[in-house]
Amino acid sequence: MTSSSPIAAQTPWDELEIPKELQAFVDVGLISAADLTVVAVLTIGQPCSPAVRLALALALAAPQDGHVGVSLAKVAGRAYVDRPGLDLAGLQKLPWPESVAWLEEIQQYCLVADTTSEPLRPFVLVGDLLLTRRYWRYQERLAAELRERMAGPAAWLPLDDAELPNIEADLSALFGPRPAQGADLARLAAAVVARRSLSVISGGPGTGKTFTIRKVLALVYRHVQRAQGRAPVVQLAAPTGKAAARMAEAIAEGLADPAFSPQERAWLATLKPQTVHRLLGFDPRHPSQFQHHRLNPLVADVVVVDEASMVDLALMTKLVEAVAQSSRLILLGDRQQLASVQAGSVLADLSDVLQGRGTRLPQESLDMLAPLCPAEDLEPFADPSAPLRAGCVVQFTEPRRFGRHTPLGRLAMALAVGDVPAALEQLRADGPSDVQGAVTWVPAAADAELGSAVWQIILAGYAPYLQALRQGPQLGESVQAHHLRVIGMFDEFRVLCPHRHGPLGAQELGLAIAQALRPGREAGLGRPLPATLWAGAPVLVMENRYDVGRMNGDIGIALGQDGQDRVAFADATSGQVGYLAASRLPPWELALAMTVHKSQGSQFRHTLLILPDRPSPLLTRSLIYTAVTRARERLTVVGDRHVLELAIHRVQQRASSLAEML
């Protein structure tokens, strides 16, 4: 249940008498009158103290901020939200209840159950985590499915003894000779996929996840061809349309690999990634239900989900339940990235078993993988103390794209392992700007303004795509090819912001950039233009709309003036351009400045990260890492050194009990 409940909508909020003990929490924006209204309706006939009302309201509001519930022992003095008007200074002065007494009072309240109590109680308390029964059930269902796939009868897919030498030979052919130094993690990950019902391959951008998954799919192709004389049925998915498009591009980039046969190349080229919602069969009439579920599972030998860190708890539960136990489920992602926008941090909860030590293989995994992998690839990861579920997680750490010895590679590695001094060393005002993997630091200007040097970077970054659009098609170039080229050029550069709101937030900064780019306008953070379309305006779709074929996260380029023309979108699965009348656009925003959250699943040649002018609880190491790893070749960071240091020291924590349930 959330504050958008129909019950709340029918209740006259202005008639609700807010207890004076809670007025301060409402005033700073931590809870709302709507949250308290729902609590008031739920507690009719069951009187409760202001402290209990506060706890219940926080539990109701938690999923809006990405948390499964509220940790009563940790919530005081902290905020995890990006809301207009949130009073950060006021958060430090709130009259929080004493945590031990507060927890005892919640435990005894009649509407709060422990996990074994009366199922009709609307709230559940697990340790110090208070959550609605709906989210507790999501955790319970997902944990049950994952436990079976990790350590139960379905954890190890049956393979005939005669087939093991064939798979070992396929691995050698696909991955070639072992590296001169270190273990072959890519081959190890493929071997894990060959044997397990669930595999988790985690690593930052450019560490080899897509390289590995191409080889894995070829391995599955060979195995199914031998066993059943047919090509395998493979479903590829990602949380957003943009992430699915990037997945398609990444797979297509490696099809020329000489390790693949012509038949394998042709088959791999037929695989078309889609959004998770489309994969499961989204029905707009029933937004919380899907066509595929436990009783009607997906028809697939293998289901691969990229950018799994972006998949929230509710969606991951429905996805895992829809994958048949006889199918392989492969989750790709980066546990260091920001968690999903919605509630939950499933990939991080799954990967917490690594305990910062990288891949850990329990003895059972070593025994099952021994016929497929050289001992040299297994020994570095042998860990008798590791729980059984650790054997399904492989952690990639080597940045192949820009190399661990470039400034960008060193920065990403330092952030991933939490080496704060090394990370800060890479962010210097005199850092290189003309080398591969360059990292440049630009000190903040005064009064939340961007200096002229930053505006020059922004205008130079976006000028090429606008110039190409205005020049029109090149000689012999079709209109569609021209628009596809323009969209690709726009994706070469992007401005990222940690916050959505505020003077340096994505919304206001995006309008200011539009003001600077449109003809006859000057750069500056003055009065923003209205968010109307103009020729060249980049459009970021904010909702899934299956009736017009556009998904949340899709980016297109407006081709006409003031909403009178079409918007062009690139379709990665077909390599074509799709057009949509501006009048039929789903809710959208300008994509000239994006939140770091919205940028997940994307890569830009040059990324410009603009930090807010003051510290914020939302500024965490995961957010900085996510922004850094959006850059393929060059990163520029603008901001105050103190703000950055605090962000790198702050570790993102999502309130969840999934890891404990596993």
Side-chain angles (χ1 to χ4, degrees):
M1 183 178 298
T2 69
S3 57
S4 60
S5 163
I7 296 176
Q10 298 168 10
T11 305
W13 297 353
D14 55 352
E15 296 180 11
L16 175 70
E17 183 178 346
I18 299 175
K20 63 180 185 300
E21 296 91 342
L22 303 184
Q23 187 62 56
F25 294 87
V26 175
D27 290 343
V28 301
L30 193 58
I31 57 175
S32 68
D35 299 322
L36 290 174
T37 298
V38 177
V39 171
V41 172
L42 289 172
T43 57
I44 290 175
Q46 307 292 343
C48 59
S49 69
V52 171
R53 287 194 186 190
L54 173 62
L56 301 184
L58 288 169
L60 287 170
Q64 303 171 39
D65 305 322
H67 302 279
V68 170
V70 58
S71 172
L72 299 178
K74 300 177 182 177
V75 68
R78 303 173 67 179
Y80 313 91
V81 295
D82 184 14
R83 301 175 185 162
L86 184 68
D87 182 0
L88 296 177
L91 287 171
Q92 309 303 318
K93 304 174 184 177
L94 291 174
W96 291 97
E98 195 278 321
S99 59
V100 174
W102 195 20
L103 186 60
E104 290 177 351
E105 189 174 4
I106 293 296
Q107 287 173 328
Q108 298 169 10
Y109 188 59
C110 59
L111 296 185
V112 177
D114 61 31
T115 55
T116 61
S117 296
E118 170 58 49
L120 295 180
R121 298 185 187 182
F123 296 91
V124 176
L125 186 66
V126 183
D128 75 320
L129 181 69
L130 180 66
L131 65 165
T132 62
R133 181 162 292 277
R134 175 190 177 194
Y135 278 94
W136 179 77
R137 282 287 296 140
Y138 279 138
Q139 286 196 145
E140 182 185 49
R141 287 162 52 190
L142 180 58
E145 291 284 339
L146 292 176
R147 278 196 300 267
E148 184 170 3
R149 287 182 177 272
M150 287 174 165
W156 298 101
L157 294 177
L159 288 175
D160 189 277
D161 287 345
E163 178 65 1
L164 289 174
N166 293 329
I167 293 180
E168 194 278 335
D170 289 338
L171 288 168
S172 297
L174 287 167
F175 290 94
R178 291 189 66 260
Q181 295 182 338
D184 189 344
L185 266 175
R187 174 172 173 153
L188 174 61
V192 169
V193 170
R195 299 305 316 259
R196 298 201 67 115
S197 171
L198 170 69
S199 307
V200 180
I201 302 176
S202 177
T207 54
K209 298 190 301 296
T210 307
F211 164 85
T212 301
I213 207 63
R214 284 194 298 263
K215 306 276 190 176
V216 162
L217 294 176
L219 177 71
V220 172
Y221 179 89
R222 297 180 184 190
H223 169 60
V224 175
Q225 282 282 12
R226 281 192 299 267
Q228 303 181 36
R230 63 173 177 86
V233 179
V234 173
Q235 301 286 1
L236 305 180
T240 67
K242 185 67 176 177
R246 178 60 195 144
M247 187 182 192
E249 294 167 2
I251 289 177
E253 287 169 0
L255 293 185
D257 192 322
F260 299 147
S261 70
Q263 295 82 4
E264 289 163 353
R265 288 193 194 95
W267 172 74
L268 286 168
T270 66
L271 302 180
K272 306 300 182 186
Q274 56 190 318
T275 64
V276 175
H277 285 80
R278 191 181 291 277
L279 171 69
L280 295 180
F282 177 78
D283 184 348
R285 297 168 300 176
H286 306 286
S288 64
Q289 301 176 17
F290 294 98
Q291 296 173 14
H292 292 285
H293 43 74
R294 179 193 291 274
L295 300 180
N296 182 32
L298 293 161
V299 177
D301 297 295
V302 179
V303 177
V304 183
V305 181
D306 198 10
E307 297 290 352
S309 65
M310 299 168 62
V311 182
D312 62 85
L313 172 66
L315 185 58
M316 185 67 83
T317 301
K318 295 167 186 176
L319 169 66
V320 174
E321 288 180 339
V323 178
Q325 290 291 345
S326 58
S327 303
R328 289 177 173 87
L329 174 60
I330 306 171
L331 301 179
L332 305 177
D334 186 353
R335 66 183 301 271
Q336 305 295 343
Q337 277 189 197
L338 286 167
S340 60
V341 175
Q342 305 300 324
S345 52
V346 177
L347 187 68
D349 290 339
L350 277 171
S351 304
D352 81 313
V353 71
L354 301 181
Q355 298 178 349
R357 288 185 262 171
T359 305
R360 303 171 66 198
L361 297 177
Q363 188 60 49
E364 182 188 43
S365 293
L366 295 172
D367 295 339
M368 299 297 285
L369 296 174
L372 304 180
C373 295
E376 298 88 340
D377 284 346
L378 297 177
E379 289 171 357
F381 309 111
D383 186 350
S385 67
L388 292 180
R389 69 184 177 97
C392 72
V393 185
V394 178
Q395 175 74 41
F396 287 4
T397 57
E398 183 70 31
R400 300 184 179 198
R401 178 173 300 145
F402 32 70
R404 66 165 59 232
H405 299 300
T406 66
L408 191 52
R410 288 195 294 267
L411 175 58
M413 288 284 291
L415 291 169
V417 301
D419 188 342
V420 176
L424 292 172
E425 173 63 22
Q426 299 306 315
L427 290 162
R428 298 175 299 178
D430 59 347
S433 59
D434 57 353
V435 300
Q436 181 186 10
V439 175
T440 305
W441 170 263
V442 180
D447 301 324
E449 291 284 345
L450 298 182
S452 60
V454 177
W455 276 111
Q456 289 176 14
I457 294 172
I458 293 173
L459 297 180
Y462 286 131
Y465 96 90
L466 286 171
Q467 184 177 3
L469 180 64
R470 291 163 186 160
Q471 287 176 343
Q474 296 175 346
L475 183 64
E477 184 181 40
S478 69
V479 172
Q480 276 221 356
H482 171 236
H483 292 158
L484 192 63
R485 178 165 58 89
V486 168
I487 294 170
M489 293 176 72
F490 174 70
D491 277 341
E492 290 289 287
F493 173 79
R494 197 60 45 85
V495 176
L496 300 184
C497 308
H499 290 175
R500 175 179 169 84
H501 306 286
L504 293 179
Q507 277 192 332
E508 187 166 337
L509 188 54
L511 291 173
I513 295 171
Q515 186 173 335
L517 291 175
R518 291 180 68 171
R521 301 287 181 175
E522 295 182 357
L525 283 175
R527 180 174 166 274
L529 296 169
T532 55
L533 290 181
W534 40 278
V539 170
L540 173 65
V541 175
M542 302 299 288
E543 288 183 7
N544 292 335
R545 284 285 300 275
Y546 290 86
D547 56 331
V548 297
R550 298 271 56 97
M551 302 293 111
N552 181 14
D554 286 356
I555 291 180
I557 302 295
L559 303 176
Q561 291 282 358
D562 298 324
Q564 298 302 311
D565 211 334
R566 302 173 297 170
V567 179
F569 292 88
D571 184 350
T573 59
S574 67
Q576 301 297 314
V577 175
Y579 297 95
L580 184 65
S583 60
R584 301 190 67 200
L585 273 176
W588 60 274
E589 290 183 354
L590 288 172
L592 291 165
M594 296 171 61
T595 63
V596 177
H597 262 292
K598 278 291 184 182
S599 74
Q600 292 184 96
S602 300
Q603 290 280 299
F604 315 107
R605 186 184 63 81
H606 181 189
T607 298
L608 175 63
L609 173 63
I610 299 179
L611 299 176
D613 62 334
R614 63 194 66 185
S616 161
L618 287 177
L619 282 173
T620 64
R621 187 183 304 160
S622 294
L623 184 141
I624 301 299
Y625 172 85
T626 302
V628 165
T629 52
R630 297 314 90 200
R632 292 198 309 269
E633 298 178 14
R634 183 181 173 194
L635 170 73
T636 303
V637 182
V638 179
D640 181 88
R641 185 82 173 182
H642 178 64
V643 171
L644 179 68
E645 288 189 26
L646 290 178
I648 295 177
H649 277 94
R650 184 179 289 113
V651 178
Q652 179 188 31
Q653 291 182 324
R654 281 274 175 98
S656 167
S657 58
L658 179 62
E660 289 79 1
M661 295 175 78
L662 291 173

